[in-house]
Amino acid sequence: MCSVAACRAALLTMNRDDRVVPGRLGHAGRNSRNGGDITMANVSNTDEKSEFGTLPRRGADLWDIKGYVERPARDVPVIDDVDVVVAGGGITGIIAAIASGRLGARTLVVEPFGCLGGNMGPGMFAGGSLHLALKNPEAFPDGLGGIPGQFNERVVAHERRLVGSNYLRDSKTVPYVATRMLEEAGVRMLLYTAVVDVIRDGRTLQGIFVENKSGALAIRARCVIDCTGTADIADRAGAPVIELDQDPSMGVYFGLQGIDVERWDREVLNRPPLSDEDEQWVAAHAPSGAKFMPWARQAWEAGEFRIAQVVDGFATLEISAKDPKGDPSIANCRTRVNGRFHPGDGIALSRIAQQQWCFIYEFVSFLNKYVPGAEHACLTVVSPYFQARGGKSIESEYTLTVDDVVGGARFDDVVYTYYDDKRFIEGGCDVPLRMLIPKGVDGLLASGRSAMKRGPQFRQRYSAQQMGQVAGTVAALAARQGVSPRDVDVRAVQRTLIEAGAHVAPESRLKELGIV
């Protein structure tokens, strides 16, 4: 393990020309282009980034290719032939599949976990809730609408609260509701299964290859929806992708029992101001460790535990204490993982996970010894899901930017409205159908983070859900008409969404477009 101090010392020997600009990792993406340096100028200030300065290594440096072998060609059994296959059963994939199934398309969801829900299911939320945009006074005065609204109401059983206001409870309800709603829509599921490649004829996608305990299998489809979160299907299909391989703001949720709730709230969550000396120590050693001072400093200087760690010189590990969400007897925490890697790098993720588990466990031992009210704390749950805010996305036919959001951009092919939780722009920002359409490949749509270049906060959960309904609707219409998603009539999409109760745009905007 490389210490923060050691990494900083190494940086002192580097000149400006030694910096590695974030960009494409040769082993990970065949068609990626550099998304540019990630700075606070082009990433919203609600995203996290490494606070340790420039790290001396990249996750890509872990790769040590020993050569290549040819994989023998062999026949792969086709286990299904569907209209629409959804790769990924997370937030956006669930809604996409329900929308497709309700329109009569034969639909299949492929999910690597044993349950659905993504960061709202096995991910246990980790942070935030569902409707950050509700801080915007103009957003959804009548509720979210459409399939997302129906889904969320069932998750909270019509209680007057937001999804995610009780992390543990809601994260168990989301997979249940998702499974039931998919079954009701006639959608089939293939769990514990990873998508590994695509079936393609020229520039047209015709299905996917998957692997599970049964081995390699093939699924034919008239339309594929990439809901992998890192545009894996688009990348493998040869579509150009945008790679942002730095500070992906990853993390894992974990919960603690045995906490003295009142003392935890007083000493940690709402701790008194630090002394000037401790403030300086935090700034120099552990930027996110303020809530655990002065005990973090004591343990660090005693050589027992470091509240901030560096993984092999390319990633940083920190821990944040979160406010109670639901059960006050559970102390919510999450790791914060940033650095010079991207969330599609399997070797880098493995190395991070290896150190992260020990980091979490030793953090609890630190609490037991040093932190008042945590003497009897123990781990009650650790999410198996590694969440990320940034990563690889498609180079879409139109990529929305921060300038579009600030300017309240308008597009004739609007399919839903984005309301920013910090910039209150009248009428919000139109999200065009073209944002879901990758360049260079037919028969493919992307939804969720796979279609969202990091910058504007499009990855907010309500936005991912709305985009899912759009993707499922377009895919079903494309399969029905026998055309590529890029050739589906936009007005037909808009009217179908409105008929399903989706919030496409304010009524004044719909009238302006002649849709209603």
Side-chain angles (χ1 to χ4, degrees), residues 80-132:
D80 219 333
D81 191 329
V82 297
D83 295 319
V84 177
V85 63
V86 179
I91 299 172
T92 198
I94 291 167
I95 305 299
I98 295 170
S100 174
R102 287 186 178 180
L103 289 173
R106 294 169 299 153
T107 306
L108 175 70
V109 178
V110 179
E111 166 59 37
F113 279 85
C115 68
L116 303 164
N119 70 47
M120 286 170 58
M124 302 180 188
F125 288 85
S129 59
L130 179 70
H131 302 305
L132 289 178

Side-chain angles (χ1 to χ4, degrees), residues 281-358:
W281 188 92
V282 166
H285 296 83
S288 68
K291 289 185 181 295
F292 303 106
M293 290 291 288
W295 317 290
R297 180 180 180 180
Q298 295 168 8
W300 187 303
E301 293 178 346
E304 295 181 1
F305 178 71
R306 292 192 170 190
I307 195 72
Q309 300 181 8
V310 175
V311 182
D312 288 349
F314 75 89
T316 61
L317 271 175
E318 304 170 80
I319 284 177
S320 299
K322 312 297 291 184
D323 291 335
K325 290 286 187 178
D327 187 348
S329 68
I330 302 294
N332 296 304
C333 300
R334 63 158 288 198
T335 60
R336 295 176 60 212
V337 185
N338 279 299
R340 301 177 67 198
F341 69 98
H342 69 83
D345 185 337
I347 292 181
L349 293 187
S350 176
R351 182 65 191 90
I352 292 167
Q354 175 185 335
Q355 185 167 325
Q356 180 177 248
W357 182 258
C358 296

